[in-house]
Structures are given as structure tokens and as C-alpha cells.
Amino acid sequence: MIKFMAANVFKYTKAIVSGIPNSLAATAVRMDGSDEPVNLEKARQQHKNYVQVLTELVGEIHIIPADEQFPDCVFVEDPVVVCGDTALVTSPGHKSRGGETVAMKEAVTKLGLNVVEMTEPGRMDGGDVLFTGREFFVGQSARTNEEGLKQLAAAFPSYPVTGVKVIDSCLHLKSMMSMVVPDNISIGGTSQAAAVAKEIMERDGHFKYNFLSVPDDFGANCLFVNGTVVYVSKEPYPKSFEVFEKLSLPGFSEKIAVNISELHKVDGCLTCCSVLIN
Ligand code: GLY
């Protein structure tokens, strides 16, 4: 079991992203009650900017072409979990997303990663997997089951794995939290997010973390890439934006706000749109 965080754990040299299919606007999976129309042109412009920022941070970007059969395919984080040189190709938990694994398996195989495939009855969306650099927390959501957690633990045996119950009104564990910088986790403002941090992660986790409280759950989702924190823009989360604007934690060299407001409408967050590889 790992005791010290490897120095290169949040250092990335490549990222995988996907194009946005037209089908996203009408048929992407949404949480109940969310029906705001998506402006596809704006979504693609925002996504292009996101990819541009990642390109500057990691250098090499692999683009999986948009596939109209899979409205949610831009959310590449869900069909795979990559840690070190192993890629666990998951069994996504929503039936409309299962086929996304074919293109993802091809992409991670081409990149030379050791590919492990989840098998029945395992279910997992990568959005439920928070890797802290020392251990995994896995959301037990409507998309990820106990068997999925067991298969993740077998794929990455060097790290402890702890399950975290996520209620159905929250899509994924990382729909309310993410790593900001090493040993610091940003946590959304709902009572569920606070309870997960205090009552589960602090109690059951194997290491201690600082929690950064962020007003919005989606606003708490950020990326930490090669020393830079990539966080939500003023639109649509002005209060969360402000928290990151004032961020004074040690451990990062730059920060940049990126607007993906159109993808937020279909429950996407910043981490959902890329797979980072180190
Ligand atoms: N729209 C993202 C998902 O439900 O998987």
C-alpha cells in the first residue's frame, strides 16, 4: 500500500477528449428537472477553448471523433479510469452510454496503456472515481456498483479504495467535488456534499485532506493539471468562481477559469470532458 504520493501523480503528458455530436442537444442523458436547451454552436466553441487550454497544459491531445450514436460521448471521463500506465475500461452505468467503451478502448490501446476491461456485473462511470494521489474514493451512485468498485480495486492494487454512498439526485461523486491541489479537495455547498466529506471521507479515508468549501456542487469540480488549477467561470457559477479567484492554497503555480456552461446543462463538469494521462 502506498504511503507517500509519487511526485509525478498530477503530472500529465497527454489527454483524451471527444468531439460533441449533434445528438447531445436533444438526447444527452439529464438529471430529472433539467431541460434548458443546449446551444450546440456555443457548446462546441466553449469545448474548443477547453481543449485549447488543455493543449497548452499537457501538450499532446488525442481526439475521439464525435459519434452521433452516443449523445454523451464528449464526457470521456466515464468510460475509462486511467492511473499510471493502467487504463480500466469501465462498464458505464447508463444503457445509452455502454457503447462509448469501444472507441475509448481503441484510444487507450493506441496510447500503449495496459488495458483492463470491466466485466459483468460490474458497473462504473469514471465520474464516480476520485483519485487523490494516495487512494481512491468511489461514488456508489446510480451508475456505479459494488462490483465495479471491487474491479477497480483489483486493477489498481497499490491504492486503497473506499466506497462513498451518493444519493440519486447527484449524478456522480465528482459532480460535487474534485482535487484542487495535492491533499486538498474542493467540496460543493449542498448538505449532501458536506456530509460526504465529513462523515465518509474523513471517517473512512486512509489519509487526511483539507476541504475547500465551494458554494455550488458543479462549481466544486475543477482540474489540477501540471501545477495549474482549471476552474469554473463566472458564468454560470459566479460564487464558486469567486472562491477560486481568491484561492491561496500552496501547491499551484497558475489558475485559469474555463466556461463550459452549455455542457453543464447536460450535467457535464470540467473533469468529465478529458482523460488525463501521466
Ligand atoms: N449527461 C451525462 C450523463 O448523464 O452521463
Side-chain angles (χ1 to χ4, degrees):
M1 189 175 290
I2 215 149
K3 291 267 185 312
F4 303 102
M5 195 185 306
N8 65 350
V9 104
F10 296 110
K11 298 267 182 283
Y12 304 102
T13 56
K14 300 175 191 75
I16 299 173
V17 299
S18 162
I20 298 179
N22 294 330
S23 56
L24 173 130
T27 51
V29 187
R30 293 182 184 223
M31 300 297 284
D32 287 346
S34 119
D35 56 6
E36 257 191 286
V38 173
N39 178 331
L40 266 182
E41 196 185 323
K42 192 171 165 193
R44 287 191 175 119
Q45 192 50 48
Q46 291 177 341
H47 185 255
K48 189 172 167 196
N49 180 44
Y50 172 95
V51 174
Q52 182 58 38
V53 167
L54 273 190
T55 308
E56 282 160 22
L57 293 173
V58 305
E60 198 179 318
I61 302 283
H62 295 261
I63 302 176
I64 298 177
D67 187 335
E68 292 297 336
Q69 292 180 86
F70 303 117
D72 287 281
C73 63
V74 66
F75 302 127
V76 286
E77 171 179 66
D78 293 318
V80 74
V81 176
V82 176
C83 184
D85 54 11
T86 297
L88 172 66
V89 176
T90 65
S91 298
H94 192 282
K95 59 181 183 328
S96 78
R97 303 202 55 191
E100 292 173 30
T101 55
V102 175
M104 184 53 73
K105 183 181 167 195
E106 202 180 299
V108 290
T109 303
K110 265 193 198 149
L111 289 174
L113 295 167
N114 301 320
V115 178
V116 180
E117 286 183 82
M118 190 163 275
T119 54
E120 288 289 333
R123 286 275 173 270
M124 175 169 281
D125 278 7
D128 274 319
V129 179
L130 178 72
F131 178 58
T132 70
R134 301 179 186 279
E135 64 185 316
F136 286 99
F137 290 102
V138 177
Q140 308 280 266
S141 68
R143 302 283 180 91
T144 299
N145 63 13
E146 185 65 30
E147 175 60 24
L149 181 149
K150 283 188 190 148
Q151 292 188 30
L152 178 129
F156 303 107
S158 306
Y159 297 102
V161 179
T162 300
V164 177
K165 180 81 193 113
V166 174
I167 57 171
D168 291 351
S169 62
C170 180
L171 177 58
H172 293 133
L173 180 65
K174 282 191 291 187
S175 306
M176 57 178 166
M177 68 177 66
S178 63
M179 296 310 293
V180 191
V181 295
D183 296 330
N184 287 266
I185 299 173
S186 48
I187 293 281
T190 58
S191 51
Q192 155 159 250
V196 162
K198 292 283 163 202
E199 291 163 24
I200 306 179
M201 296 169 80
E202 282 196 348
R203 186 191 63 208
D204 298 342
H206 292 70
F207 298 92
K208 294 283 165 234
Y209 303 94
N210 301 314
F211 291 100
L212 172 75
S213 184
V214 178
D216 311 283
D217 280 5
F218 276 11
N221 181 286
C222 61
L223 289 163
F224 180 59
V225 187
N226 296 348
T228 294
V229 180
V230 180
Y231 59 100
V232 287
S233 60
K234 200 165 190 169
E235 184 218 353
Y237 295 114
K239 290 186 179 148
S240 298
F241 169 79
E242 222 170 278
V243 170
F244 284 100
E245 280 289 280
K246 292 182 182 149
L247 193 67
S248 66
L249 294 170
F252 73 92
S253 49
E254 306 281 343
K255 55 190 163 79
I256 179 163
V258 171
N259 188 343
I260 56 160
S261 60
E262 293 304 307
L263 292 176
H264 284 310
K265 292 177 184 171
V266 285
D267 307 323
C269 290
L270 289 165
T271 62
C272 306
C273 300
S274 53
V275 178
L276 298 169
I277 298 164
N278 64 8

